[in-house]
Structure formats: C-alpha cells, structure tokens
Amino acid sequence: MSRPWPEQVYQVLRAADVTQVGYVPDAGHAHLIARAQQDADVRDVVLSTEEEGVALACGAWLGGQRAALLMQSSGVGNCINMFSLLTSGQFPFLTLVTMRGEFAEFNPWQTPMSRATQPVLQAMGLTVLRAERDDEVADVVDAAASAAYQANERVAVLLSQRLIGRKKWTTE
C-alpha cells in the first residue's frame, strides 16, 4: 500500500536534504508541518508572515543547509518584494503553495490572489510547477527540489485546491 501523498512529499523533502521548514500555519500543509515538528533532524520555523520564509531559505543556504517554504496562495502576495532577493542573490529556493480561490472556493476574498499567484511567481523569476492529482505530487515536488538544489533554480509548486480538498466554512 502506498503512503498518502503528503507523506510522500515529506519523504521527498527529506531525501533532498531539506532540514529547515518555514511556514505560516495552514491546514493544507498540516501533515508536512506536523512531520517537520516531529523530526529531530528538521528545524520547523513558524513565521509571522510568509516573506520571512524567503529570508529563512536564503539564510539556510548561506549556512550550508536547505530550506523549504510552505505557504498558501494568499501568502505569495506577501512575498513579492522579497522574491527579488532570490534573483539578486541567485539563491536556490523551493516553496510549496497550497492554492485557495479555485475549486469550490466559498470565500471570494481568496479568488483575486489565486488568479495572480502563478503570474506573480513567474514575473519574479520563479519556475512554477503544478500538481493536480495525488499520484503526481511526489514526482512534481521531487522535480522541483532537483531544480532548486541541483540546478540552483527558484521553484514554486502549486498544490491545487482540488488536490488539497474542498474548503468548508464552519463556525466551530
């Protein structure tokens, strides 16, 4: 029996020697965050804003380590100016972005940034890969990690809302 895709993604990150994971808490990344917190060889860093994660990744690289930034599509908008650091410093960069504002989105506030996420990332020089199905996620993230850490690229993987699952409004 194969492992669920979030665990496969975590194993891909570990195989790529990612030892720092920055994130603003997000339900779409809950498994990755929990695994990073449980792994004694990984430093999980709770960020107050996603742009701090860009600096975290650059600092990790300068210190001889690899980092990944986990964020939601709305967080991409918070990072635009900091993405210039990646290009200026030619830092390798890997981010996994859970998408909102797509499939069956209940919150209209999420839609504009959702539509802008991929064009903004590309405009700032990042290569954008996208995973739609659970059977392709690990392979896409592995390709992104290779591009980032072996070819010194800046790469974002968009994890579609259909993949993450329909969001439901709850009052609990």
Side-chain angles (χ1 to χ4, degrees):
M1 183 172 162
S2 67
R3 293 173 285 192
W5 70 262
E7 181 57 26
Q8 293 175 22
V9 169
Y10 189 76
Q11 294 305 317
V12 167
L13 294 177
R14 293 300 292 128
D17 200 25
V18 170
T19 57
Q20 294 189 38
V21 175
Y23 59 91
V24 173
D26 171 39
H29 287 302
H31 181 83
L32 294 176
I33 293 167
R35 291 288 284 125
Q37 291 171 334
Q38 297 163 355
D39 191 333
D41 295 325
V42 173
R43 181 168 184 216
D44 72 291
V45 180
V46 181
L47 309 167
S48 57
T49 179
E50 293 82 355
E51 64 191 279
E52 294 172 351
V54 177
L56 172 78
C58 296
W61 185 254
L62 291 172
Q65 296 186 349
R66 295 175 176 179
L69 172 58
L70 310 178
M71 65 177 152
Q72 191 178 75
S73 53
S74 57
V76 171
N78 297 336
C79 295
I80 296 171
N81 192 41
M82 282 299 286
F83 287 148
S84 62
L85 177 64
L86 300 171
T87 303
S88 297
Q90 293 296 300
F91 290 100
F93 181 71
L94 175 63
T95 184
L96 306 181
V97 180
T98 55
M99 293 301 296
R100 292 287 309 264
E102 297 183 327
F103 179 71
E105 177 63 58
F106 71 87
N107 183 351
W109 186 262
Q110 296 286 348
T111 304
M113 192 61 223
S114 173
R115 291 180 181 146
T117 296
Q118 184 166 344
V120 162
L121 290 166
Q122 291 171 325
M124 294 308 293
L126 279 76
T127 298
V128 178
L129 305 176
R130 187 176 176 91
E132 299 276 346
R133 300 182 327 268
D134 59 355
D135 65 342
E136 67 181 1
V137 180
D139 190 44
V140 171
V141 173
D142 185 53
S146 293
Y149 303 121
Q150 294 174 15
N152 200 39
E153 295 287 331
R154 287 138 298 280
V155 186
V157 176
L158 306 184
L159 304 173
S160 77
Q161 192 164 355
R162 184 180 292 262
L163 173 70
I164 301 300
R166 178 181 276 195
K167 303 291 184 206
K168 295 181 180 176
W169 178 260
T170 62
T171 57
E172 296 175 13

